[in-house]
Each structure stands twice: as C-alpha cells, then as structure tokens.
Amino acid sequence: MKVRSHITQNEALLFEMGSPGKVGYQLPSLDVPAVDAVAALGRENVRAEIEGFPEVSEVEAIRHFTRLSTWNYAIDLGLYPLGSCTMKYNPRVNELVARLDGLAWAHPYQPEALAQGAMEVMARLEAALAEITGMDAVTLQPAAGAHGELTGILLIRALLEKRGNPRKKILIPDSAHGTNPATAAIAGYTVENIHSTASGMVDLAELERVVDKDVAALMMTNPNTLGVFDDNMAGVAEILHKKGALVYMYGANMNALVGIARPGDFGVDVMHLNLHKTFSTPHGGGGPGGGPVAVKKILEPFLPAPRMKRLRNRWAFDYKRPRAIGKVRAYYGNFGVIVRALAYILAHGGDGLRNATVDAVLNANYIRRKLEPFYDLPYTAPNMHEVVFSDDRQAKLGVRTGDIAKRLIDYGFHPYTVSFPLIVHGALMIEPTETESKLELDLFIEAMTAIAKEVETDPQLVRSAPHSTRTSKVDEVGAARRPILRWKPRETGSQTAD
Amino acid sequence: MTYPDDRRYTKEHEWVRVEGDIGTVGITDHAQHELGDIVYVDTPKIGARVDQGKSLGSVESVKAVSEIYSPVSGEVTEVNGILAQSPEKLNQDPHGAAWLVKIRLSAAAEITNLMSAADYQSYVGAES
Amino acid sequence: MRYLPKSQAERRQMVEACGVESAEQLFSHLPDGVRLKRPLDLAPGISEYDIVDYFRARSAEGASGYASFLGAGVYAHYRPVLVDTVVSRGEFLTSYTPYQAEISQGTLVTIFEFQTMICQLTGMEVANASMYDGSTAVPEAAMMAARITGRDGVLIARSVHPEYREVLLTYARNQGMPVQEFGYNNESGAAELADLESKINDATAAVIVQSPNFFGVIENVKRLAEIAHRHGALLVFIFTEAVSLGILEPPADADIVAGELQSFAISPSFGGPFAGIIATKEKFMRQMPGRLVGETVDSRGNRAFCLTLATREQHIRREKATSNICTNQALIALMATVFMTVYGKQGLRELAEQNLAKAHYLGAKLKPRFSGAYFNEFVAATNGKTPDVINQALLKKKIIGGVPLNRWYPELENSMLLCATEMSKREHMDQLAEAWQ
C-alpha cells in the first residue's frame, strides 16, 4: 500500500468551539474620531450582533483549518487520475508571482498608467493562447470553463444574428460533458444530440443529415471524452460551414494537443480553454478557474468589452465595442489565474509545452497497455491523454466502477472519473497528466491490478470500500432526503441526524 | 412482484386507480426499483391541470431525475403530504401509502389506453 | 524540465512497454492535415528565477506605494496573514471538487462552515457554496426568481453597480427576460420608490437593488421588499461591500441575496478571482443554483459532510439545470471563511465601525453629493473642477483618487465615488481633501 494512515485529529465545527469574547484579531487604533453608528446610519439600519458567528483565537483558527486540511486528498499527495479534469502539478512559483503587490493589489479602476504591468500580463497571455490554439483573438473575461462555453455560444449567436438569423439548435455529441446542453439552454438554444460511431467519432453521415438551416453550431470535444481524436475533423467542419453553421470546440482536453495540433488549423471557429486544467492553475477544491475563449477573425468584433489595444508605447482599454455580446462578468477576468497560467507557459516555453503533451499521452498509453489485460476496453481507437475502460468484466462478479474507485482510495489514490462518459456503460475514465513519475504510475497500475484480482477473490472487500479512511462511506441518500445545509445550535435540531 | 389488478399502468411505469371520478396516481414498484433510493418527489400543486402523457412532476435519486408522466387528464385534487417528509416511503410502499396525487378525471375513457396488471407484468418482464 | 518527473531512461522503458518506437509514434494516427509542423512560436522555457524577475518587473509597473480611495465594488481591506497560510496548504490548494466525500472532508467542512456564516451574516436560511463573483450572481438570481415566480420581467435599480447591470443584460437578452431600470432619487441617492411603483406589474419576477448601492447609499430594504411582494415579485438584494454586513441590518426581508465577498481577504487582483454568493429562504432552496454541502453520517455513524441536492446541477439535469455553472470558488470562499473566523463576531463589527469612522471623517471634509446614509463610500461633487484634474493632482502625491461617475452616469458629471476603509490613513485623507480646494 502506498499510503499508511496517520494520526488525524478530531475537530469540531467553528461554531462549537468558541467562547464569548474570544478574538483572533487586533485592529490598529483609529486615527480619526469614532462615529456613532446609530447617529450615522439610523437606528433601523444598524444590526444586532451576528448570532452564532465564530469567536475563536488565532491559535485555534490555524489549528482548525490545518487539521481539516489533513482530511483532504490533493495532488501534492499523489496521482489524481480524474479523466477530463487534467489534475496536474500546480507549480508553486505561480502562487508567489500572483501575490506580488503590484499585481495582487491592482484595482480594476486604477489609472491605466499604473496598470501597464497587469495589462502586459493579460496581453501576453492572450497572444500565447492565440498561438497555442491557432486562433486569431482571445478574451480572458470568462471566469471558468462553463462560463467560457456560454461566452462562445453567445458569440456564435451574435454573428448569426448579424447575418440575419440566430437559428435555433445546437448539436451535441452523445459523449459530451453535461455543461454543454445546460449552456446551450442558457444561451437560448435547444439541444439536439447526435450519435457517435462505433469508434467514438462524430458520425459524418448523421451529421450531414441533421445539419440544416436551424443549426447554429456543433459543440464538440476533441479529443473527445473517450480520449480519442476525431479523425473526421475536417469533414465535420466542412459540413457545418457549408450550411452556415459554426464549430465550437470544448477545450477541456486541450492537454492532448498543445504543440501537436491547433484547433484553429482544423476548422474550429471558437473554443474555450480551462486554465485550471491545461495551464496548471490550482483547482483549490473546486475553483477558481479561468475560461478564456479563443476565436477566429469573424467572431472578433463580438468579443466582450473591454479589449486591450496597443497605443504607441502603452496598453489601453477599448470600450467602444458596438457589436460586442456585452459583458459576461465585471472587470477583465480572473486576473490572478491569468498570472499563474502565464507563469506556467513561460516556464515551459514552446518546446516545453509540446514535451509536456507528449509525456501526457505517453503516460495514458502506458496505463492503457498495463491495465488492458485486467479491464475491458470498449473503444480501441488510439487514445491521446486519457483512456476509458469499462467495468464489464467486474460487473459480472457484482462489482461496479464506483466500487473499484472507492477501493482505489485504500491504495492511496484518488479515484478516476466514474460512470462518465455516458456512452460507456460503467466507465473508468483515467487521465494521468504529464506530471506523474514512472514510479507513481507503476504504483497506480499495481493498485488497479490488485483490485481486479480482489474482485475475483473477495468482491465484498471491494464493494464495501473504502476501509482505511478517517471517514467511512458517506450516506449521500440521507443527506439529500433531509438536507441540513447549515449549522444550528443543538436544541433546534441540526445534530439529530435521523 | 405481483402488480395489483385494481388499477391500470403506463409504459412509463405509473399507475392509476379509479374510484368514481377520482384517479389515484403513483409509480410502480418496478420504477422505484430502477430509480434506487428516492430522495425527493416534486409534485404539482392542488388545482393544477394535467394531461395524459404529459409531465406531472419528477422523482429524484441522489444522481438522477426522472419525470413522472400523468396516466390521466384532469385536475389535481390532493397531493400526498407524506412524500415531502419521507420520500423513502416511495421505495417502501409505492403501490399503497406512497401514492403521489389524486386527479379528478376530465376524460375517464382515457384509461382504456393503459395496460392491465397482467399486460404490465409481461411488459416489465420483457423490458428487464 | 522541472515539472516533468521522468528520466530519459524511464521514458524509453515506457515507450517500449507501449510497443512503439518512440513517443512521437503515439501521434501517428493523427491525420496529416491536423498536425502542427513547426514549433510553437513561443519563447523557450525559463527558470524560476527568471519568472519571478519578469513578474516583479510587471508588478513594479503597478501602483505599489500609492494610497488609494478606489472602491466601486472592489475594496482594499487588510488581509490577515492566516488567510494565505491556510489557502497555501497543498491539501486545500491542490485538491479537486470534493465529489469523493471520504477523502475530501476538509474542503467539505469548510464549505459547510462558509454556508453557515453566510446565513448568519445575511439573515437568509440557506446559502450556496459560492458563485464566480458578485456580477455573475446577479443574472443567476434573476433567473432563479423567474423560475420561482413563473414570470420573466426584471426591474433593476440604476443604483446597482453598472458592470453588474451589464452582465445581467448579457444573460437576460437570450433568456427572453425583459429588463427595465428604475432610477435613483437625485436628493438622497437611494432607489426611487415612485419610479419602481410606476414600473412594477404582475409580470415582474424580480426587483433587484444593491445596498449600500453603487453611490454608497443605504437602501430602504423593508420598503422595497414591501413593494415587490405586494406585486407578487421577489426582492433580490445585492451587496458588493461585505464588510458593511458587520454593522448594517441584514436583508432578512429580501427573498434572494446575491453578493460579492471580495472584501473578505480576497485581493483586488485587478478584478478577480473573487467569490460571489447566493443565499435565500429555505422554501426556494431547490431553485437555487450552485453547489451545496450538507451534513450527514458515515457508515460508522460519525458526522460527515457531502455535496448534496446535485440534481439541480448541469451534470444531471443537463439543459434543465438551474445553471450551467459547474464550479464554485472553493479556495476563494475558503479565504473568506478564514477571514470571518479571524475577525469573528466582535471583529467584524469593529472593522465595520472603523470603516464607518474613516469614511465619515472624509465625508465631513468633502460634503457628499447625496443625503442618504452611507457606510464606507460616497459620491463627492468636484466643485467645478473635473475629476481628472483632481485625480492627476493627487497622483503627483502618490494618491489614487476616486472613480469618476460620468462614464456610467452622464448626469453625474464632475462627481466621483470615493471609498475609505480601515486601511485609509488620516494624512492621506487630509491631502485628498486639500486637492479639492
């Protein structure tokens, strides 16, 4: 076993450990006269004390959060083989540079003359992402992948509206991520699903049949969620373009392509990138992310304001964007994430980024080769950065992908992506990324192999996993039936879990 | 599982038991079994108009949402309050205590479109 | 390369195991037309030292060493050291969304605490695990109100942050949600109730107001809620300055609270990443967008936490989801959680009182343009000078003045929005006031 359990301490909630009057702060003494709140604000506007709010010292606060942190798995502890999530190492220098005063404390409305450094960072990242994707322009405004998706679809809508008809439908392959249909709906489109071929590619014949004057765009992921590059890309783009529709590429799997192939060169009109996947910015337990959108020239006029423009010797914001889709969020984007992504690109450089891609694909193929004898591989086309097995063999013995995933925890690893993509029944979706050593991959392969054997000898051991965690299997059904979404003092019943 | 023959069944796994002009509607044991642990039931408001074959509400497990299609047309006269407090009842007694709604039928003849218990039994037998 | 943990010998072993001649061969199935046949046109990789050097140079082009009176949705508050200490722990920084509850209790507990504190702060009954930011929380709240009421009209006060209003319009346009603005009172700077009364009707899903509003003026939430409710609409309450909740009456009369937590130890960072929230009444819980953490037990009967009510979300409900968002801002929300913990019940109040005192010291010197009560920012008329002239003079003294308002409010020419926080020093406020003379 890779990880042995160590002493983890019990920890109460903040609300259960305080004592009235205890504090963890000290403010500087006030250098102006104090103001009477009731006189300044009116009695009706002044609140009573915040009932239930924490009252702990600095020491207790740091211990609380440090103890809680030990209850988490993290990339810093080991491989995180979540497919389509690209959990790669988060370089620490990125954290340092994002905290430099002149960047971290830059106010979005400070004079442009004092924001040149920040603007230079944004301009440089825009240019790098345009080069990497082979597109003509990039907006950094979207806050995350799904937000980028929405921005991309709104850009398509704006272009089609200008051409006279926004159209009605977005086509989405059945292997797509769940955000795709949700995004299409928010952008005011209906969704039509199209089937994949037996090798997991878009079915050109079906595509030809369904693309008509009502179709605004195809949203596709390439490599798709099976980790397979769609060889028909040129054909796909041609069919859509012929009918005046556009191609949106979901960029979550860009880690398979950087330096190898550019969406802009194979017919994609608009795509988003996940800075927190491909470009190494930390997931932070679920955000923040960054979802820049890269477009071809025809969509550039619709990008949200402001755009940056280079005057003789300085950067300026340009708000005169009469055809823009409007702002998708306040200010300019998740700048702190933008800084980190640029630091990552600078560290690798052009060749380095390509080498990273090669290693990512090598790692995935290595896992495929080593695990193929033990797990069913429903789609056998060459895979790129991730590989999707099914639990077909194990299911016959009553063990499902979710059970295997939980057992993996006992071996010291985070589970892979379970039950996705939907086109594979009982999927095990594995993406190692390039930042894993051979030793770590071998340990993972050993663990997966051992579990496959356990399924044959002791399936109950696998089904009842995990066995080694501080918290055993969690009752998600109970949580959903009687939602307790906040702490309340004991007498009103939060603690009476029935 | 034997399905009671005092009621009619839909292909989408709902049942309706008609008494006078009131139809009591629920989901079948087969449906609850397929859904797994039910955590929430979304029912219409009293007075709502529903149509045969159209959405009546939904049931949720932890990771799935399924539409409930009304087996009959009419007006909702009663909603089973027990489900809001104890959605698990739908797993335990789908043909009895965990009925969903009562509907005042507006087109009683519609129920001839539905399956008998025997037909439903063989339908789910074939499906599984 | 330091981020690629393999020796050439190991690569060779792996290539052999894959049954290929070289790793390059793993790409040979790509159609020829797809391959990029030249190196990326990006500079070669550089050392950690050079990276730090580059960004230090960019940082030096910024406003370090300047005193600033900018607010307008992004506030300069002191960040307790503990905040970065906690969020720099790899277990928080480099973990994924806590779907696997057994090995994610750390993140889950902190989110549960976050949800609880947001409820305590806002007077709402449930709060989500955070949204992208305050501006995107506005359309999310409006769409939520539309789902609850079955209506589609939105009335938003002109005194709401202009960029937030722009974001709402971007979303609403494609949702078939007509958005109308109602004005502010030229005397008080608060939302004009008569204008609201004249525009609200039985198609109105949401009345959206911000308090303190963009001019810093505190709105009459009770009256606004009463008007909205009388017409069957929901009141959506927006806040951009979270510290104000340390002293201001919580918006318990609102139906949905959407806000921005940047003030809680989140660096201004040129506008992001921040963390927004949506909080509401329990009865609207299932229409609320965003992740939620709930309390439950594990198989041994111990208290445990997990993500819950996920059926509202995009990966299950797909096109019928409450939102297309599939993330929260966990790490940023954790910053806010640590901040709220460090300051606590007493500290947040004292912090708010300091902000109040500083802003009112400055306000007494500059005479606010509006008569409405204000917390830590206010609009000041520039007495005939243009805001630019004043701001340029201030820059020479290493002071960044206020935000000129005519960019969004042509009628408010020669006035600017000024903010003072606990970080504003008296000497700088005195210098600022001098520039007015």
Side-chain angles (χ1 to χ4, degrees), chain B residues 40 60-65 67, chain C residues 286 309-312 316-317 320:
Chain B
Y40 181 67
E60 299 182 9
S61 62
V62 172
K63 289 187 173 125
V65 186
E67 296 277 341
Chain C
R286 286 177 192 274
L309 301 186
T311 46
R312 298 162 302 118
I316 290 170
R317 209 168 280 240
K320 287 181 187 156

Side-chain angles (χ1 to χ4, degrees), chain B residues 1-71:
Chain B
M1 184 71 211
T2 50
Y3 288 89
D5 54 14
D6 61 349
R7 61 196 76 184
R8 312 280 288 181
Y9 299 84
T10 70
K11 286 187 172 168
E12 287 81 27
H13 311 288
E14 295 87 12
W15 54 260
V16 57
R17 189 179 69 236
V18 178
E19 291 160 298
D21 64 343
I22 299 292
T24 304
V25 172
I27 66 167
T28 67
D29 184 67
H30 175 85
Q32 72 77 18
H33 191 260
E34 288 291 301
L35 287 161
D37 294 320
I38 289 163
V39 299
Y40 181 67
V41 184
D42 189 18
T43 44
K45 288 197 171 68
I46 290 173
R49 301 273 322 159
V50 295
D51 293 313
Q52 186 179 43
K54 296 282 162 57
S55 178
L56 177 71
S58 58
V59 283
E60 299 182 9
S61 62
V62 172
K63 289 187 173 125
V65 186
S66 303
E67 296 277 341
I68 305 166
Y69 298 96
S70 185

Side-chain angles (χ1 to χ4, degrees), chain C residues 102-170:
Chain C
E102 295 85 355
I103 47 171
S104 309
Q105 288 294 306
T107 296
L108 289 164
V109 171
T110 61
I111 293 176
F112 188 77
E113 291 177 333
F114 172 84
Q115 290 173 183
T116 302
M117 284 192 256
I118 295 302
C119 290
Q120 292 165 341
L121 208 54
T122 59
M124 291 288 110
E125 292 162 351
V126 288
N128 68 13
S130 73
M131 313 287 290
Y132 295 146
D133 74 341
S135 73
T136 50
V138 177
E140 295 287 350
M143 290 188 279
M144 177 179 161
R147 287 192 296 274
I148 291 168
T149 58
R151 302 170 172 190
D152 55 16
V154 177
L155 278 170
I156 187 166
R158 270 192 87 217
S159 48
V160 172
H161 194 307
E163 296 212 33
Y164 286 27
R165 283 183 281 133
E166 284 179 51
V167 175
L168 172 68
L169 285 175
T170 304

